[in-house]
Amino acid sequence: DAAAFEVLFGGAAGGGKSYGQLVDALLFALQYKGSKQLILRRTYPELEHSLIMTSLTFFPTSVCKYAATAHKWTFLNGSVIEFGHCAGEKDVLRYQGAEYDIVRFDELTHFTEEQYTYLMSRIRGVNDYPKQIKSSTNPGGIGHSWVKRRFIDGFTPNQVHIDTKTKNSRIFIPSFVNDN
């Protein structure tokens, strides 16, 4: 239910963060007709062995269909959940010109800050749907320092903060193993 523009759900392994991303994406797609979402991991095999496999077990095929070659769920109401990856810095350019209501990073600390900020610019559109960047992560990885600085250092968990430069709202929601 977090309404901040930037949301980070992070912490302990086993807290249900990736599953939470999928459930949230599904509910958004059902609620907002014609909405567009992008779910990212660093590599396609990471997506395939986690998020895609899990989505295939519970997304209702009565209201949406998965196209394996396109790596996307398409809903009867026109909504789309696309799975993407960015192994290298320049891979973000494959999303140049794209528009999404929500961009979701699974394992945000596996990405660089440059990838994150570029993909943030893809959150746009003329509809009045909520526009957000929602991420989940465990500690560690190449992006550990920038994620900690952006969401955790000097901030109170579960409290919305406003970035003084961008004016974007941001929140960190801690994840605990007993949340799952």
Side-chain angles (χ1 to χ4, degrees), residues 108-136:
L108 181 60
T109 59
H110 292 188
F111 293 86
T112 66
E113 189 168 16
E114 291 75 21
Q115 288 172 313
Y116 179 81
T117 54
Y118 179 84
L119 288 161
M120 186 186 301
S121 72
R122 305 300 89 202
I123 302 169
R124 56 205 176 115
V126 295
N127 64 41
D128 61 352
Y129 299 162
K131 305 290 188 253
Q132 292 179 290
I133 189 160
K134 291 188 166 185
S135 304
S136 51

Side-chain angles (χ1 to χ4, degrees), residues 161-175:
H161 301 277
I162 306 298
D163 184 292
T164 55
K165 290 180 184 177
T166 66
K167 305 300 182 210
N168 287 337
S169 56
R170 184 178 299 146
I171 190 169
F172 167 62
I173 303 167
S175 171

Side-chain angles (χ1 to χ4, degrees), residues 50-97:
S50 61
L51 295 165
I52 293 172
M53 293 289 276
T54 303
S55 72
L56 290 168
T57 66
F58 77 90
F59 275 27
T61 56
S62 60
V63 295
C64 58
K65 301 290 180 226
Y66 184 69
T69 54
H71 315 302
K72 76 173 64 166
W73 283 96
T74 303
F75 290 72
L76 294 177
N77 70 2
S79 293
V80 172
I81 298 174
E82 177 184 341
F83 292 100
H85 62 284
C86 289
E89 288 299 306
K90 293 186 179 183
D91 288 338
V92 297
L93 297 177
R94 73 180 69 208
Y95 305 102
Q96 189 173 20

